[in-house]
Amino acid sequence: MTVVALFGAGGKMGMRLGRNLARSRFQTRHVEVSPAGRERVKQAYGVDCVDAAAAIQGADVVVLAVPDTAVGAVAHDLVPKLTPGTMVVILDAAAPHAGHLPERADITYFVTHPCHPPIFNDETDPAAKADHFGGIAAKQHIVNALMQGPDAHYALGEEVARAIWAPVMRSHRVTVEQMAILEPGLSETVCATLLDAMREAMEEAIARGVPREAARDFLLGHMNILAAVTFEQVQGVFSDACNKAIVFGKDTILKPDWKRLFEPEEIAESVRRIT
């Protein structure tokens, strides 16, 4: 049986992953430093957490379900103790892209991250419709990168990724650099910022007298159809008036050089800020 050592098992992310690993073919060893986290693991799975040394003994895969800011420190303590050929799975590209992982040529580094359930989906089950993060009931896509190690290891890394993020639809193979473009670049620096600006715009409309419920319903409904047309989920075009408003809005809201956010040095600086 393939052994997976799950570090940070009692944290929010660790518990999400642990539930899915419990339904997989993998044998899971749980590692958690906090008493509260160890108790959560005990209550959820009826097993005791083990110390790091016991967890990595003979483990095929080590999953670091720890915060981005802690990945480097945990990895530097852990990786020198691993058996050659062990796969270390990191759940975000930030720390790997920033160079926070220790150098060791005989260890495999595999990076994986969820796309989260898409806005446009076919979910009908209430639990799946309410699973906005994914990994519980809603189907989602994922991205994976074999940062270091033999190409033959990709299949195992992808199998682990499909297990921890289940249920999974498409699994995309990318590079660590491409994953960093996707996050923090595309998803956080751009998408989250624009969504936050839309929330501010809604609050401005409310401050100017529009009833809150009406403003929220109007905005979320328009986000649905506007996104469907923009991303070609449906066949359609905007009205001439809408197209004119977009041109004016871009000139007013966006800086002319905003796409520099995707330049390698800007992505690197964005990663540095969050790690």
Side-chain angles (χ1 to χ4, degrees):
M1 182 174 288
T2 303
V3 176
V4 175
L6 178 60
F7 282 70
K12 184 177 179 180
M13 182 61 74
M15 291 298 293
R16 283 179 174 274
L17 273 52
R19 281 191 292 268
N20 284 342
L21 284 170
R23 297 192 287 265
S24 75
R25 74 172 182 86
F26 300 111
Q27 177 187 338
T28 307
R29 298 172 183 168
H30 304 83
V31 181
E32 175 57 50
V33 295
S34 76
R38 290 196 292 270
E39 182 59 28
R40 281 192 291 271
V41 170
K42 180 72 171 180
Q43 290 295 323
Y45 316 119
V47 299
D48 292 319
C49 289
V50 299
D51 62 30
I56 64 174
Q57 185 66 39
D60 302 284
V61 180
V62 173
V63 178
L64 302 185
V66 299
D68 288 339
T69 53
V71 168
V74 173
H76 275 82
D77 177 67
L78 186 64
V79 168
K81 306 170 185 175
L82 298 179
T83 302
T86 303
M87 175 179 291
V88 178
V89 175
I90 303 97
L91 307 180
D92 189 278
H97 186 271
H100 293 328
L101 300 180
E103 293 186 11
R104 183 174 168 187
D106 60 353
I107 292 295
T108 293
Y109 284 132
F110 189 91
V111 188
T112 182
H113 197 76
C115 296
H116 305 298
I119 292 175
F120 306 114
N121 58 69
D122 61 356
E123 304 292 0
T124 57
D125 179 68
K129 294 177 74 172
D131 181 16
H132 300 294
F133 185 90
I136 298 175
K139 300 183 292 293
Q140 64 178 335
H141 311 296
I142 60 175
V143 292
N144 310 301
L146 182 64
M147 180 180 180
Q148 171 183 301
D151 197 65
H153 281 193
Y154 183 84
L156 175 59
E158 185 180 43
E159 185 183 2
V160 172
R162 282 184 172 276
I164 62 178
W165 305 128
V168 170
M169 295 182 285
R170 288 191 293 271
S171 174
H172 303 282
R173 184 170 184 174
V174 298
T175 66
V176 172
E177 291 73 20
Q178 290 168 341
M179 199 181 293
I181 290 173
L182 295 174
E183 184 167 305
L186 181 62
S187 63
E188 296 175 341
T189 306
V190 177
C191 183
T193 298
L194 294 178
L195 287 170
D196 190 64
M198 282 191 279
R199 172 60 187 265
E200 285 190 30
M202 185 190 77
E203 296 295 341
E204 184 64 22
I206 293 167
R208 291 172 181 269
V210 179
R212 175 172 293 277
E213 193 171 61
R216 188 175 189 275
D217 288 347
F218 200 84
L219 178 60
L220 293 180
H222 276 73
M223 285 172 64
N224 185 38
I225 181 57
L226 293 173
V229 173
T230 299
F231 291 95
E232 300 179 342
Q233 183 70 19
V234 298
Q235 293 300 313
V237 295
F238 294 143
S239 67
D240 289 343
C242 183
N243 284 324
K244 289 179 180 178
I246 291 171
V247 171
F248 173 79
K250 281 188 174 180
D251 287 343
T252 305
I253 298 170
L254 299 177
K255 293 181 178 180
D257 66 340
W258 71 270
K259 290 182 182 178
R260 67 179 175 80
L261 294 170
F262 290 97
E263 294 297 330
E265 60 271 17
E266 292 290 343
I267 294 292
E269 180 61 19
S270 180
V271 167
R272 186 197 63 77
R273 286 193 293 268
I274 65 176
T275 57

